[in-house]
Amino acid sequence: MKQLLTIAMMMAMSLHVNAQTTIAQNYKGTANGNPISPCVFCADPTALEYNGRLYLYGTNDTQQYIKNNKTGSNGYGDISSLVIFSTDDMVNWTFHGTIDVRKLCSSWGWRFAASWAPSVTWRTTAEGKEEFFLYFANSGGSVGVLKASSPLGPWTSPLSKPMIDADTPGVSPCNWIFDPGVVIDDDGTGYIAFGGGDPQSTGSSLWPGNSRIAKLKPSMTALDGAAVKMPAPYLFEASELNMMNGRYVYTYNTSWSDRNDWNKFEGRNGQPAPSSCSMCYMVSDTPLDPDSWEYRGEYVPNEGNFGDLGSDWGNNHTHLHKFQDKFYLFYHGNVLEKTMKNSKDNPMDSNASGYRSLCVNEITVDEETQTISKITMTKKGVSPIKPLDPYLLQQAETMASCGGVNYEDFKNIKTITSKNTLGNDASENMYIKMAPGSWTAVRNVDFGEKGAKSFVLRAKGTGTLEFRTASKGQPIATVQFASTEMEDHVFEIDPETFKGTKNLFFLVFTEATNVQFDAWQFFETAPNAINPLSTLNSQLSTHIYDLNGRRLQNANRSGLVIEQYQDVNGITRTRKRVK
């Protein structure tokens, strides 16, 4: 593929925005961390850490939103895919598209119904092979499993049917066989918790009788023995498992039933009755022994204690995760839906409801005593744990906020479709389709003391791109580009303008005709000296990835790839190039 490089001088200051261009509405807020995505509805979070990056998975509520023509309530029945995001700084999130679970489980036939509430884990086998496992609720009647060799796939269904259903030993009677929560303990053994729903006929509000836990076989795709009941008071849904200091920690969501029988619970340990639809937790040394579980109380009250997120967020589902020495609580709420309805342009039908968004706040956890402190959710969310490096290749789908953004996909830069990606595999390559007024923003960008001297925009189409430090502020620079193919457009810039740390760095497309925005990168050198490959350290191996960050084992693969290497100064560099 022949690359056409268009070199132009970037102005330090620019003309005012075209009077006919209206900057797209921002429904998240440029300083807020919540919700994580400003344009994708998703819920029921789970996460894993891999190679210093956190990968977040959730139920694809946007699929139901589109199916309902952006109106009506979220009935969940048409959700058959899962979303994936990732981050390494906790404020700028990369959208990797979706996992088409229905397609992957086509061999199930009538047994497949939907895909909700994933739980994910990974391990390195004795042979050094990395394996990733994703468990999901197949509607309310069974639990399925997917397998991959990377956190982004490609995913496969190792079974021709659900892994857990009503015929699995130890499961029945259980009203809802769903909401799996998985963990691999310190000995390498996997356990899975699941279940929920209203009380059994022999149960009660205090003891619904629908919570189960089971040991997994070494394959991680089958149970090792029968499932056993867990004594989880007022359980309703949202099972999750964690390991802390060698102990098993089980979290779950309580029901809306009254608490009149709380004093009958001998193991309440002086704890008050949990509020309705709150998150509670229990701790054990021997998870398959029902008598070993110790009730610890609630850590997410549901009595209006949601800070500025509001209290009408519906059900509750959380994931507790330690990342870079801090604990974070992922959860979902309807903050994006509420903001859209209250906005001036009101893009959401007034009858739409129940479309959730993933959020995160830092939470205090004492691992030694397995104590989870209560938390208050906020729109502000979390602070960045590291600056964003503009000198590494950044995908257009990486953002802290945006306006007017639509996602599309392409394969090897050749096949382009206008179909919304919320239904395609996460292994698809992604870019963003930009209309006039569309914009993306990244936070905490560190240009360093010397500043950047050049900028590369990978895009197709004709457009004008403005850089701002505030969405409605004056541009600090402007570039124009035009190409009929996806190309690298290289611009010389003023290092005095692009130096230091920018809390908000906007990429505003004030003019755009058929623009497809793929990636961007800054350099500390002039355009005629952009770190040629000859500067890499030949003593160190180069790693090759596809456009979604999946490591490629076949070094002879042709086409457009991401290459990660170290330069002669030992600095890790990332660039996109044609092989």
PDB file of all heavy atoms in Angstrom, residues 194-220:
ATOM      1  N   PHE A 194     -23.394 -18.289  40.865  1.00  0.00           N
ATOM      2  CA  PHE A 194     -24.466 -17.877  39.951  1.00  0.00           C
ATOM      3  C   PHE A 194     -25.804 -18.018  40.659  1.00  0.00           C
ATOM      4  O   PHE A 194     -25.893 -18.528  41.779  1.00  0.00           O
ATOM      5  CB  PHE A 194     -24.439 -18.726  38.673  1.00  0.00           C
ATOM      6  CG  PHE A 194     -24.583 -20.211  38.922  1.00  0.00           C
ATOM      7  CD1 PHE A 194     -25.829 -20.834  38.883  1.00  0.00           C
ATOM      8  CD2 PHE A 194     -23.460 -20.995  39.207  1.00  0.00           C
ATOM      9  CE1 PHE A 194     -25.957 -22.194  39.129  1.00  0.00           C
ATOM     10  CE2 PHE A 194     -23.571 -22.357  39.441  1.00  0.00           C
ATOM     11  CZ  PHE A 194     -24.820 -22.959  39.399  1.00  0.00           C
ATOM     12  N   GLY A 195     -26.876 -17.582  39.996  1.00  0.00           N
ATOM     13  CA  GLY A 195     -28.230 -17.757  40.505  1.00  0.00           C
ATOM     14  C   GLY A 195     -28.901 -16.453  40.887  1.00  0.00           C
ATOM     15  O   GLY A 195     -28.268 -15.401  40.981  1.00  0.00           O
ATOM     16  N   GLY A 196     -30.217 -16.532  41.120  1.00  0.00           N
ATOM     17  CA  GLY A 196     -30.972 -15.360  41.533  1.00  0.00           C
ATOM     18  C   GLY A 196     -32.459 -15.545  41.306  1.00  0.00           C
ATOM     19  O   GLY A 196     -32.925 -16.603  40.879  1.00  0.00           O
ATOM     20  N   GLY A 197     -33.213 -14.490  41.602  1.00  0.00           N
ATOM     21  CA  GLY A 197     -34.655 -14.516  41.390  1.00  0.00           C
ATOM     22  C   GLY A 197     -35.436 -14.473  42.683  1.00  0.00           C
ATOM     23  O   GLY A 197     -34.874 -14.425  43.786  1.00  0.00           O
ATOM     24  N   ASP A 198     -36.750 -14.482  42.558  1.00  0.00           N
ATOM     25  CA  ASP A 198     -37.632 -14.465  43.721  1.00  0.00           C
ATOM     26  C   ASP A 198     -37.504 -15.768  44.501  1.00  0.00           C
ATOM     27  O   ASP A 198     -37.038 -16.782  43.974  1.00  0.00           O
ATOM     28  CB  ASP A 198     -39.080 -14.264  43.267  1.00  0.00           C
ATOM     29  CG  ASP A 198     -39.297 -12.905  42.628  1.00  0.00           C
ATOM     30  OD1 ASP A 198     -38.649 -11.938  43.077  1.00  0.00           O
ATOM     31  OD2 ASP A 198     -40.094 -12.818  41.676  1.00  0.00           O
ATOM     32  N   PRO A 199     -37.926 -15.759  45.773  1.00  0.00           N
ATOM     33  CA  PRO A 199     -37.764 -16.949  46.617  1.00  0.00           C
ATOM     34  C   PRO A 199     -38.444 -18.194  46.045  1.00  0.00           C
ATOM     35  O   PRO A 199     -39.499 -18.109  45.401  1.00  0.00           O
ATOM     36  CB  PRO A 199     -38.415 -16.535  47.935  1.00  0.00           C
ATOM     37  CG  PRO A 199     -38.335 -15.045  47.947  1.00  0.00           C
ATOM     38  CD  PRO A 199     -38.499 -14.631  46.520  1.00  0.00           C
ATOM     39  N   GLN A 200     -37.827 -19.339  46.296  1.00  0.00           N
ATOM     40  CA  GLN A 200     -38.447 -20.619  45.962  1.00  0.00           C
ATOM     41  C   GLN A 200     -39.700 -20.813  46.823  1.00  0.00           C
ATOM     42  O   GLN A 200     -39.891 -20.126  47.835  1.00  0.00           O
ATOM     43  CB  GLN A 200     -37.460 -21.764  46.233  1.00  0.00           C
ATOM     44  CG  GLN A 200     -36.218 -21.727  45.369  1.00  0.00           C
ATOM     45  CD  GLN A 200     -36.526 -22.111  43.941  1.00  0.00           C
ATOM     46  OE1 GLN A 200     -37.493 -22.817  43.667  1.00  0.00           O
ATOM     47  NE2 GLN A 200     -35.704 -21.647  43.016  1.00  0.00           N
ATOM     48  N   SER A 201     -40.541 -21.754  46.430  1.00  0.00           N
ATOM     49  CA  SER A 201     -41.760 -22.025  47.200  1.00  0.00           C
ATOM     50  C   SER A 201     -41.431 -22.458  48.625  1.00  0.00           C
ATOM     51  O   SER A 201     -42.201 -22.220  49.558  1.00  0.00           O
ATOM     52  CB  SER A 201     -42.580 -23.115  46.509  1.00  0.00           C
ATOM     53  OG  SER A 201     -41.820 -24.306  46.363  1.00  0.00           O
ATOM     54  N   THR A 202     -40.271 -23.082  48.805  1.00  0.00           N
ATOM     55  CA  THR A 202     -39.840 -23.512  50.137  1.00  0.00           C
ATOM     56  C   THR A 202     -38.927 -22.485  50.797  1.00  0.00           C
ATOM     57  O   THR A 202     -38.452 -22.700  51.905  1.00  0.00           O
ATOM     58  CB  THR A 202     -39.089 -24.857  50.050  1.00  0.00           C
ATOM     59  OG1 THR A 202     -37.987 -24.713  49.149  1.00  0.00           O
ATOM     60  CG2 THR A 202     -40.019 -25.955  49.536  1.00  0.00           C
ATOM     61  N   GLY A 203     -38.676 -21.373  50.086  1.00  0.00           N
ATOM     62  CA  GLY A 203     -37.786 -20.354  50.615  1.00  0.00           C
ATOM     63  C   GLY A 203     -38.542 -19.241  51.301  1.00  0.00           C
ATOM     64  O   GLY A 203     -39.732 -19.337  51.607  1.00  0.00           O
ATOM     65  N   SER A 204     -37.820 -18.130  51.555  1.00  0.00           N
ATOM     66  CA  SER A 204     -38.395 -16.974  52.219  1.00  0.00           C
ATOM     67  C   SER A 204     -37.684 -15.728  51.721  1.00  0.00           C
ATOM     68  O   SER A 204     -36.715 -15.810  50.963  1.00  0.00           O
ATOM     69  CB  SER A 204     -38.230 -17.094  53.736  1.00  0.00           C
ATOM     70  OG  SER A 204     -36.854 -17.072  54.090  1.00  0.00           O
ATOM     71  N   SER A 205     -38.142 -14.561  52.142  1.00  0.00           N
ATOM     72  CA  SER A 205     -37.468 -13.331  51.753  1.00  0.00           C
ATOM     73  C   SER A 205     -36.027 -13.342  52.237  1.00  0.00           C
ATOM     74  O   SER A 205     -35.106 -12.947  51.513  1.00  0.00           O
ATOM     75  CB  SER A 205     -38.205 -12.121  52.333  1.00  0.00           C
ATOM     76  OG  SER A 205     -39.504 -12.016  51.784  1.00  0.00           O
ATOM     77  N   LEU A 206     -35.821 -13.812  53.470  1.00  0.00           N
ATOM     78  CA  LEU A 206     -34.478 -13.862  54.026  1.00  0.00           C
ATOM     79  C   LEU A 206     -33.624 -14.896  53.314  1.00  0.00           C
ATOM     80  O   LEU A 206     -32.459 -14.640  53.010  1.00  0.00           O
ATOM     81  CB  LEU A 206     -34.544 -14.178  55.528  1.00  0.00           C
ATOM     82  CG  LEU A 206     -33.207 -14.322  56.257  1.00  0.00           C
ATOM     83  CD1 LEU A 206     -32.408 -13.033  56.194  1.00  0.00           C
ATOM     84  CD2 LEU A 206     -33.449 -14.738  57.722  1.00  0.00           C
ATOM     85  N   TRP A 207     -34.177 -16.052  53.036  1.00  0.00           N
ATOM     86  CA  TRP A 207     -33.433 -17.143  52.389  1.00  0.00           C
ATOM     87  C   TRP A 207     -34.132 -17.562  51.104  1.00  0.00           C
ATOM     88  O   TRP A 207     -34.881 -18.541  51.083  1.00  0.00           O
ATOM     89  CB  TRP A 207     -33.303 -18.344  53.324  1.00  0.00           C
ATOM     90  CG  TRP A 207     -32.621 -18.041  54.620  1.00  0.00           C
ATOM     91  CD1 TRP A 207     -33.146 -18.127  55.870  1.00  0.00           C
ATOM     92  CD2 TRP A 207     -31.276 -17.591  54.791  1.00  0.00           C
ATOM     93  NE1 TRP A 207     -32.230 -17.766  56.814  1.00  0.00           N
ATOM     94  CE2 TRP A 207     -31.065 -17.430  56.180  1.00  0.00           C
ATOM     95  CE3 TRP A 207     -30.236 -17.301  53.904  1.00  0.00           C
ATOM     96  CZ2 TRP A 207     -29.860 -16.982  56.702  1.00  0.00           C
ATOM     97  CZ3 TRP A 207     -29.035 -16.863  54.435  1.00  0.00           C
ATOM     98  CH2 TRP A 207     -28.851 -16.713  55.793  1.00  0.00           C
ATOM     99  N   PRO A 208     -33.924 -16.836  50.009  1.00  0.00           N
ATOM    100  CA  PRO A 208     -34.597 -17.173  48.739  1.00  0.00           C
ATOM    101  C   PRO A 208     -34.240 -18.562  48.221  1.00  0.00           C
ATOM    102  O   PRO A 208     -35.041 -19.194  47.529  1.00  0.00           O
ATOM    103  CB  PRO A 208     -34.104 -16.078  47.786  1.00  0.00           C
ATOM    104  CG  PRO A 208     -33.666 -14.965  48.670  1.00  0.00           C
ATOM    105  CD  PRO A 208     -33.110 -15.620  49.891  1.00  0.00           C
ATOM    106  N   GLY A 209     -33.019 -19.036  48.515  1.00  0.00           N
ATOM    107  CA  GLY A 209     -32.621 -20.382  48.096  1.00  0.00           C
ATOM    108  C   GLY A 209     -32.156 -20.488  46.662  1.00  0.00           C
ATOM    109  O   GLY A 209     -32.179 -21.584  46.091  1.00  0.00           O
ATOM    110  N   ASN A 210     -31.707 -19.365  46.048  1.00  0.00           N
ATOM    111  CA  ASN A 210     -31.347 -19.386  44.618  1.00  0.00           C
ATOM    112  C   ASN A 210     -29.870 -19.144  44.354  1.00  0.00           C
ATOM    113  O   ASN A 210     -29.474 -18.989  43.193  1.00  0.00           O
ATOM    114  CB  ASN A 210     -32.152 -18.316  43.872  1.00  0.00           C
ATOM    115  CG  ASN A 210     -33.629 -18.657  43.810  1.00  0.00           C
ATOM    116  OD1 ASN A 210     -33.989 -19.794  43.553  1.00  0.00           O
ATOM    117  ND2 ASN A 210     -34.469 -17.670  44.056  1.00  0.00           N
ATOM    118  N   SER A 211     -29.043 -19.096  45.376  1.00  0.00           N
ATOM    119  CA  SER A 211     -27.625 -18.835  45.170  1.00  0.00           C
ATOM    120  C   SER A 211     -26.847 -20.145  45.119  1.00  0.00           C
ATOM    121  O   SER A 211     -27.034 -21.024  45.963  1.00  0.00           O
ATOM    122  CB  SER A 211     -27.079 -17.964  46.311  1.00  0.00           C
ATOM    123  OG  SER A 211     -25.712 -17.700  46.115  1.00  0.00           O
ATOM    124  N   ARG A 212     -25.943 -20.267  44.127  1.00  0.00           N
ATOM    125  CA  ARG A 212     -25.156 -21.489  43.945  1.00  0.00           C
ATOM    126  C   ARG A 212     -23.684 -21.137  43.736  1.00  0.00           C
ATOM    127  O   ARG A 212     -23.345 -20.069  43.217  1.00  0.00           O
ATOM    128  CB  ARG A 212     -25.636 -22.284  42.734  1.00  0.00           C
ATOM    129  CG  ARG A 212     -27.091 -22.716  42.779  1.00  0.00           C
ATOM    130  CD  ARG A 212     -27.329 -23.804  43.812  1.00  0.00           C
ATOM    131  NE  ARG A 212     -28.702 -24.286  43.745  1.00  0.00           N
ATOM    132  CZ  ARG A 212     -29.718 -23.740  44.420  1.00  0.00           C
ATOM    133  NH1 ARG A 212     -29.505 -22.686  45.201  1.00  0.00           N
ATOM    134  NH2 ARG A 212     -30.937 -24.240  44.320  1.00  0.00           N
ATOM    135  N   ILE A 213     -22.814 -22.088  44.107  1.00  0.00           N
ATOM    136  CA  ILE A 213     -21.387 -21.979  43.818  1.00  0.00           C
ATOM    137  C   ILE A 213     -20.879 -23.372  43.483  1.00  0.00           C
ATOM    138  O   ILE A 213     -21.374 -24.380  44.008  1.00  0.00           O
ATOM    139  CB  ILE A 213     -20.602 -21.376  45.004  1.00  0.00           C
ATOM    140  CG1 ILE A 213     -19.152 -21.092  44.584  1.00  0.00           C
ATOM    141  CG2 ILE A 213     -20.677 -22.268  46.238  1.00  0.00           C
ATOM    142  CD1 ILE A 213     -18.368 -20.284  45.599  1.00  0.00           C
ATOM    143  N   ALA A 214     -19.915 -23.443  42.584  1.00  0.00           N
ATOM    144  CA  ALA A 214     -19.389 -24.739  42.151  1.00  0.00           C
ATOM    145  C   ALA A 214     -17.915 -24.608  41.809  1.00  0.00           C
ATOM    146  O   ALA A 214     -17.428 -23.531  41.445  1.00  0.00           O
ATOM    147  CB  ALA A 214     -20.159 -25.266  40.943  1.00  0.00           C
ATOM    148  N   LYS A 215     -17.223 -25.717  41.920  1.00  0.00           N
ATOM    149  CA  LYS A 215     -15.820 -25.797  41.514  1.00  0.00           C
ATOM    150  C   LYS A 215     -15.759 -26.098  40.026  1.00  0.00           C
ATOM    151  O   LYS A 215     -16.596 -26.837  39.491  1.00  0.00           O
ATOM    152  CB  LYS A 215     -15.119 -26.895  42.309  1.00  0.00           C
ATOM    153  CG  LYS A 215     -13.651 -27.075  42.014  1.00  0.00           C
ATOM    154  CD  LYS A 215     -13.076 -28.209  42.859  1.00  0.00           C
ATOM    155  CE  LYS A 215     -11.618 -28.464  42.560  1.00  0.00           C
ATOM    156  NZ  LYS A 215     -11.077 -29.598  43.356  1.00  0.00           N
ATOM    157  N   LEU A 216     -14.775 -25.544  39.338  1.00  0.00           N
ATOM    158  CA  LEU A 216     -14.598 -25.792  37.913  1.00  0.00           C
ATOM    159  C   LEU A 216     -13.499 -26.824  37.682  1.00  0.00           C
ATOM    160  O   LEU A 216     -12.508 -26.874  38.421  1.00  0.00           O
ATOM    161  CB  LEU A 216     -14.236 -24.495  37.192  1.00  0.00           C
ATOM    162  CG  LEU A 216     -15.354 -23.445  37.088  1.00  0.00           C
ATOM    163  CD1 LEU A 216     -14.785 -22.111  36.636  1.00  0.00           C
ATOM    164  CD2 LEU A 216     -16.446 -23.913  36.148  1.00  0.00           C
ATOM    165  N   LYS A 217     -13.668 -27.630  36.663  1.00  0.00           N
ATOM    166  CA  LYS A 217     -12.636 -28.576  36.276  1.00  0.00           C
ATOM    167  C   LYS A 217     -11.432 -27.817  35.715  1.00  0.00           C
ATOM    168  O   LYS A 217     -11.540 -26.633  35.368  1.00  0.00           O
ATOM    169  CB  LYS A 217     -13.174 -29.546  35.232  1.00  0.00           C
ATOM    170  CG  LYS A 217     -14.164 -30.572  35.785  1.00  0.00           C
ATOM    171  CD  LYS A 217     -14.576 -31.567  34.710  1.00  0.00           C
ATOM    172  CE  LYS A 217     -15.479 -32.649  35.294  1.00  0.00           C
ATOM    173  NZ  LYS A 217     -15.871 -33.652  34.272  1.00  0.00           N
ATOM    174  N   PRO A 218     -10.269 -28.466  35.604  1.00  0.00           N
ATOM    175  CA  PRO A 218      -9.092 -27.785  35.052  1.00  0.00           C
ATOM    176  C   PRO A 218      -9.322 -27.174  33.681  1.00  0.00           C
ATOM    177  O   PRO A 218      -8.673 -26.185  33.322  1.00  0.00           O
ATOM    178  CB  PRO A 218      -8.049 -28.899  34.999  1.00  0.00           C
ATOM    179  CG  PRO A 218      -8.429 -29.824  36.112  1.00  0.00           C
ATOM    180  CD  PRO A 218      -9.939 -29.808  36.127  1.00  0.00           C
ATOM    181  N   SER A 219     -10.265 -27.715  32.912  1.00  0.00           N
ATOM    182  CA  SER A 219     -10.573 -27.146  31.595  1.00  0.00           C
ATOM    183  C   SER A 219     -11.235 -25.783  31.697  1.00  0.00           C
ATOM    184  O   SER A 219     -11.267 -25.018  30.723  1.00  0.00           O
ATOM    185  CB  SER A 219     -11.490 -28.085  30.822  1.00  0.00           C
ATOM    186  OG  SER A 219     -12.767 -28.174  31.455  1.00  0.00           O
ATOM    187  N   MET A 220     -11.825 -25.458  32.851  1.00  0.00           N
ATOM    188  CA  MET A 220     -12.567 -24.218  33.100  1.00  0.00           C
ATOM    189  C   MET A 220     -13.863 -24.142  32.309  1.00  0.00           C
ATOM    190  O   MET A 220     -14.527 -23.116  32.289  1.00  0.00           O
ATOM    191  CB  MET A 220     -11.706 -22.979  32.800  1.00  0.00           C
ATOM    192  CG  MET A 220     -10.483 -22.820  33.674  1.00  0.00           C
ATOM    193  SD  MET A 220     -10.867 -22.411  35.384  1.00  0.00           S
ATOM    194  CE  MET A 220     -11.422 -20.707  35.220  1.00  0.00           C
TER     195      MET A 220
END
